[in-house]
Structures are given as C-alpha cells and as structure tokens.
C-alpha cells in the first residue's frame, strides 16, 4: 500500500481552501437542507417516488437461493459482531464489560499448551473471551483466531458453525487507525481472478487485506484441516464494514477452489469492486445495509462529489456562519421545517443569496489544478479513474414511516418497525447528509433491525395454496 495515500487524500479534499472545522459543519448543514429541498421539488413534479418496501420476507426471497434468509443473515451478523471481541463487550456494557469477560479468560494462557492456533491475543486471551461471550461458541467450535492488526492485515477467526453446517471465516471491521488506513487506501486496482470479467478492478486496501488473509489460511492449512474434520460442511464468509468488503474479495479468490461458498456482507463500503465484477458476485454474495448508512455510500468518487458540493454550497451562501450552525442544532432536534425549505433557501438556485453580504467561501484564488479536482468527470480526478460499487444482491432495510396500532398484541403506535427491498449498487454512489448516517452503520442497530424484521414475520397472515 502507498503510505502517502491517506494524508494525500485528506489534503487534496480541501486543497486550495482555508476551511476550518466550523466551515465544514456549516457546509454539511447547508447540504442537508439543499438535498431535502431538491427531493421535495422532484417529488412535487412526480419525478421521484419512494421505493417500494415490504415487510414480508416471503416476497423478498421468493426467487433467491435457499441460504438467503433473514434468520441466516441474523445468525452470521452475530458472529460478525463477535469479531470485535473485548472492545465490543466493553462498549456495550461500560460498567460491567470486564466482569462479563472473566468466565472465558484463560489465566496465563500464553504459557499453556494450546489445542488450536491463537495469534496476537494478550496473555489471558481477552479478545478470544469477547468472541466467545458474544457468539456463545464453545472452545471446540473455534478452529483458529488471528488478532494481528497491521497495515492491511485484519483480525479474523474461523469456526465450525453447526447451526448452518458450514466452516465460517469471520472478518473484523474497522477498529483501529491501521484499519482506517486500509479503508482509506481506496484507489481502484486491477483484480484478476478466474470467473471475473477481464479488466475487473477493486478497492486497493481490501485487495491487500484479502490476499494477506488468504496467505494465513494456506500457511496454517486452516480450511484443509477444517474440511477434513467436517467434509460435508460448506464454506461461508462474513464480516461487517471493512470486514465485509474483505470477505467479498476473499470469497472471489477462494471460489475456484470452493465453488459453493457463500458470503454475508453487512454494511459494506460502496467502493469495493467494478460494476461488471459486482454482477458476478450476485450469485454468492448477500449484502445487507440499514437506512442512511454513511459507509455504504462511501467511496473515493462519492467523497470527492461531497467535497465539490460542499465547496459550491459554501461559496453560494451569504448567511452568517453562526446562524447556519445554530439552525443546524434545531434541525438535528426537530428536522428541517417547511418554512426553511420554502422561504429561507428559496432565493437562489443553490442557497439563499442576501445582497451586500459576502459568501462563506470564495473561489477567487482557486487554481487551474484545483478546478481539475472539482470536475465531475471521473476520468480527470486524481485518485480513481474507475467507479467502484457494492457487491452482491443488496438488501436494504429501512424504518417504517407509518405504523398502525395492533390492538390484538397491544403494541404501541410509535414502536419501531422495519421494511426491506432489493436495491441496485447505483443507488449508493452519492453521499447523503442525514441525521442517522453514522448511527445506521453501527452493527448493534443493524442487528436490532434484523431481529425486529424476523419478529414481524410472525404477525403476517399465512398463505394457503389453492
């Protein structure tokens, strides 16, 4: 990986400007208003309609392979969450997390003879204890675990999952600065593999991560020994966030040897693989995302588009910065009121223009090179010459807008319920500024959504064949 890529990308995003954090905050607030206003205008002209969601899993999975179910997805999401180990246990249980880890700890484990390979855990195997606490797996079911966390070397563990009769490789998502650098090494790079169209490309950092993980699998003969013990089991890969993207690319690398493998990818970053290759992955990859998840829309191209929109919006705004920021706090609590959409921002094509006031940002000193970076033509951009997409069949979950009271079960009217639909990768190419764009990426919120959807299936009417 190019070590200069991470600082280079951040520098180029705001090169040629004197933006400070409060400018970025004001720009994001203005972008939120602008995007909502544009959505309202398109809907008023009947040019944009809300996608059709359903709560019925029977309609969703009617034409999909039998392994694509909400129950299987929920099961493997729990295993993916377990890969975060002790950190997630302590995050979920701030006061009692350490005590929850104690029953699974191995005192002075580094001096004891091990029945299986455990790499780079601490002396008492705290990370392994976190994995066992969350996943409820026994010692015998965990076949291998690596907690090595170097550049493009991501922690993972391998289990014999008897519930689904599979050998599962679970890859951890971003949790450290090293993972962030792997995430941010997002330039597209050639990814040649049997079964993919010629010229396929993928996320550079994830390619390196997948190949490093594959090297460990071969070095320790993990899969060979696992399938010798469980010859009838299938191979399944899963992960959340960065782990999901690496799982997709690792699945592509392993598929010539294991043609029946499956991948459950949760909240995958947008820039994983080129479009033609993403089409191939629909045969064996199920991607699941929730609501306004920022990471599912995060790629080099969408980040550069956001930068361009933010600079243009700030340049057109004549309102004082303090007023924009104060309005933003109100929007976060109560949403953007119709009055602001229809009046406050309605005097300009982009944002309100008040005569006699200077814009928040000027472009007088932007160089020709900066104009090249701001162009909407992807081929002229600095970091990527090919747009990358999400992989596999994409199941998008969303909160129901209107919930009716169920008098039989006496459920509250404001109880959160969820619905779902199949989405296309092209729908996740633009970053949208929304209040929940960070919260919807958290694995516990996705877990809650899947659990709620599974529970909702019990209330659906039963179909009878004529």
């Amino acid at each position: 990986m190019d070590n200069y890529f991470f600082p280079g990308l951040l520098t180029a995003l705001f090169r040629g400007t004197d933006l400070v954090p409060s400018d970025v905050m004001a720009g994001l607030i203005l972008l939120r208003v602008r995007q909502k206003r544009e959505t309202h205008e398109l809907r008023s002209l009947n040019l944009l309609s809300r996608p059709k969601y359903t709560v019925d899993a029977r309609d969703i999975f009617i034409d999909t392979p039998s392994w694509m179910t909400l129950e299987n997805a929920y099961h493997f999401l729990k295993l993916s969450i377990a890969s975060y180990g002790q950190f997630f246990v302590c995050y979920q249980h701030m006061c009692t997390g350490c005590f929850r880890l104690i029953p699974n700890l191995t005192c002075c484990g580094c001096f004891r003879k091990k029945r299986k390979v455990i790499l780079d855990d601490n002396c008492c195997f705290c990370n392994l204890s976190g994995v066992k606490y969350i996943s409820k797996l026994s010692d015998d079911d965990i076949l291998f675990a690596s907690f090595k966390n170097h550049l493009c070397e991501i922690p993972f563990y391998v289990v014999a999952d008897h519930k689904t009769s599979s050998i599962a490789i679970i890859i951890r998502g971003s949790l450290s600065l090293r993972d962030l650098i792997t995430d941010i090494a997002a330039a597209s790079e050639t990814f040649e593999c049997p079964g993919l169209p010629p010229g396929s490309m993928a996320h550079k950092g994830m390619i390196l991560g997948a190949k490093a993980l594959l090297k460990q699998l071969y070095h320790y003969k993990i899969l060979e020994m696992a399938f010798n013990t469980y010859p009838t089991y299938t191979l399944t890969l899963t992960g959340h966030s960065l782990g999901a993207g690496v799982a997709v690319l690792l699945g592509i690398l392993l598929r010539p040897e294991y043609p029946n493998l499956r991948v459950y990818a949760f909240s995958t970053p947008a820039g994983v693989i080129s479009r033609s290759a993403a089409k191939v992955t629909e045969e064996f990859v199920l991607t699941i995302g929730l609501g306004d998840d920022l990471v599912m829309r995060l790629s080099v191209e969408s980040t550069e588009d956001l930068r361009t929109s933010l600079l243009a919006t700030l340049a057109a705004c004549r309102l004082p910065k303090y007023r924009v920021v104060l309005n933003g706090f109100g929007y976060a609590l109560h949403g953007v009121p119709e009055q602001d959409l229809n009046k406050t921002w309605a005097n300009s094509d982009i944002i309100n223009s008040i005569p006699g006031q200077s814009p928040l940002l000027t472009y007088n000193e932007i160089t020709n090179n900066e104009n090249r970076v701001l162009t909407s033509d992807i081929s002229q951009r600095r970091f990527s010459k090919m747009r990358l997409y999400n992989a596999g069949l994409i199941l998008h979950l969303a909160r129901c807008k209107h919930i009716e009271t169920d008098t039989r079960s006496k459920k509250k009217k404001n109880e959160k319920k969820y619905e779902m639909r199949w989405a296309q990768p092209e729908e996740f190419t633009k970053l949208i500024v929304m209040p929940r764009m960070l919260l919807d990426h958290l694995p516990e919120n996705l877990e809650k959504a899947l659990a709620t959807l599974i529970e909702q299936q019990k209330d659906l009417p039963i179909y009878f064949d004529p």
Side-chain angles (χ1 to χ4, degrees):
M1 185 187 70
D2 297 326
N3 291 329
Y4 62 81
F5 187 87
F6 175 58
L9 176 59
L10 295 181
T11 301
L13 282 178
F14 295 102
R15 178 166 52 86
T17 69
D18 294 323
L19 294 185
V20 295
S22 60
D23 293 328
V24 177
M25 181 186 298
L28 292 175
I29 293 169
L30 294 173
L31 271 179
R32 169 67 186 130
V33 177
R34 172 185 174 182
Q35 289 171 351
K36 187 165 185 177
R37 181 185 170 204
E38 289 174 348
T39 300
H40 280 209
E41 290 177 349
L42 290 173
R43 285 180 176 167
S44 65
L45 296 173
N46 293 324
L47 298 177
L48 181 67
S49 58
R50 187 174 182 268
K52 293 183 179 180
Y53 287 82
T54 181
V55 297
D56 197 336
R58 294 167 295 187
D59 294 336
I60 286 291
F61 296 105
I62 189 170
D63 295 321
T64 59
S66 59
W67 58 271
M68 288 190 184
T69 65
L70 290 177
E71 290 77 13
N72 283 348
Y74 180 74
H75 173 71
F76 283 105
L77 176 58
K78 291 283 290 184
L79 294 181
S80 297
I81 293 174
S83 66
Y84 289 101
Q86 61 170 329
F87 301 102
F88 196 85
V89 176
C90 294
Y91 159 71
Q92 274 201 317
H93 309 283
M94 295 287 186
C95 299
T96 62
C98 294
F99 301 102
R100 294 170 189 267
L101 294 173
I102 290 175
N104 292 314
L105 293 179
T106 304
C107 184
C108 300
C110 56
F111 297 107
R112 300 188 181 194
K113 186 177 180 181
K114 307 175 186 65
R115 291 183 297 166
K116 56 182 70 66
V117 179
I118 307 296
L119 302 179
D120 275 31
D121 204 352
N122 57 26
C123 187
C124 295
F125 295 156
C126 289
N127 276 306
L128 185 63
S129 174
V131 169
K132 289 191 285 189
Y133 174 80
I134 299 172
S135 66
K136 310 303 180 187
L137 292 168
S138 68
D139 252 338
D140 293 334
D141 293 335
I142 300 176
L143 308 178
F144 177 90
S146 171
F147 298 101
K148 285 185 178 180
N149 195 195
H150 303 149
L151 291 180
C152 296
E153 195 167 355
I154 304 163
F156 73 100
Y157 68 105
V158 181
V159 303
D161 183 36
H162 305 300
K163 182 176 180 179
T164 60
S165 298
S166 62
I167 302 299
I169 302 174
I170 300 99
I171 307 170
R172 199 192 75 183
S174 302
L175 195 62
S176 67
L177 179 60
R178 296 183 180 96
D179 298 328
L180 181 61
I181 295 175
T182 304
D183 271 321
I184 212 70
S188 54
E189 186 172 89
T190 302
F191 186 56
E192 300 291 347
C193 188
L196 292 184
S200 295
M201 304 191 79
H203 185 292
K204 183 176 182 178
M206 293 181 189
I207 292 175
L208 296 174
K211 290 182 177 179
L213 202 155
L214 183 65
K215 186 177 180 180
Q216 288 192 68
L217 292 176
Y218 285 145
H219 177 72
Y220 293 101
K221 299 181 179 180
I222 301 167
L223 296 182
E224 180 182 336
M225 292 188 293
F227 283 109
N228 284 339
T229 308
Y230 305 99
T232 60
Y233 280 23
T234 57
L235 179 62
T236 301
L237 296 89
T238 188
H240 172 264
S241 189
L242 171 64
V246 174
V248 169
L249 299 186
L250 180 62
I252 294 172
L253 293 172
L254 286 171
R255 198 163 182 244
E257 189 176 352
Y258 302 94
N260 295 321
L261 68 78
R262 308 156 182 175
V263 179
Y264 294 88
F266 302 100
S267 304
T268 318
V272 175
I273 200 165
S274 55
R275 188 64 181 93
S276 58
K279 188 71 177 176
V280 175
T281 63
E282 293 179 4
E283 300 175 13
F284 62 95
V285 176
L286 173 62
T287 295
I288 300 180
L290 172 65
D292 303 314
D293 189 343
L294 168 70
V295 175
M296 284 199 72
R297 296 168 172 82
L298 191 63
S299 64
V300 173
E301 294 79 19
S302 63
T303 304
E304 289 182 339
D305 289 340
L306 178 70
R307 170 193 185 278
T308 304
S309 299
L310 188 144
L311 292 175
T313 302
L314 286 174
C317 180
R318 269 71 177 175
L319 292 177
K321 188 194 303 183
Y322 77 89
R323 180 179 167 188
V324 175
V325 174
L326 288 177
N327 284 348
F329 288 116
Y331 299 156
L333 294 173
H334 308 292
V336 183
E338 293 293 330
Q339 179 182 1
D340 281 16
L341 290 177
N342 298 330
K343 295 180 181 180
T344 306
W345 315 108
N347 298 325
S348 173
D349 291 337
I350 302 178
I351 299 293
N352 180 51
S353 177
I354 301 177
Q357 291 193 16
S358 299
L360 293 181
L361 182 68
T362 61
Y363 286 111
N364 295 333
E365 298 181 358
I366 293 181
T367 64
N368 292 332
N369 288 335
E370 183 66 9
N371 287 329
R372 180 175 59 82
V373 174
L374 291 175
T375 181
S376 60
D377 184 356
I378 295 174
S379 64
Q380 297 182 31
R381 292 181 179 174
R382 179 179 174 183
F383 291 103
S384 180
K385 293 188 177 181
M386 175 175 285
R387 186 180 290 276
L388 302 179
Y389 296 84
N390 277 305
L393 293 176
I394 303 173
L395 184 66
H396 187 245
L397 313 183
R399 293 165 189 79
C400 293
K401 296 294 183 181
H402 303 287
I403 303 298
E404 296 181 0
T405 305
D406 187 341
T407 55
R408 290 178 299 172
S409 58
K410 298 181 180 180
K411 293 180 180 179
K412 295 181 180 180
K413 187 173 182 178
N414 61 352
E415 182 182 8
K416 287 183 179 179
K417 289 193 175 182
Y418 295 85
E419 51 193 357
M420 53 192 164
R421 70 178 177 92
W422 293 116
Q424 295 298 316
E426 288 80 6
E427 298 177 42
F428 301 94
T429 57
K430 180 181 179 182
L431 281 172
I432 302 175
V433 181
M434 297 291 282
R436 291 192 60 87
M437 61 185 185
L438 294 176
L439 293 176
D440 283 345
H441 183 66
L442 298 179
E444 64 267 28
N445 291 332
L446 181 55
E447 179 192 6
K448 180 181 178 182
L450 278 173
T452 304
L453 270 170
I454 293 172
E455 190 66 26
Q456 288 173 206
Q457 305 308 305
K458 301 176 182 178
D459 299 328
L460 297 176
I462 300 174
Y463 290 166
F464 293 99
D465 293 331

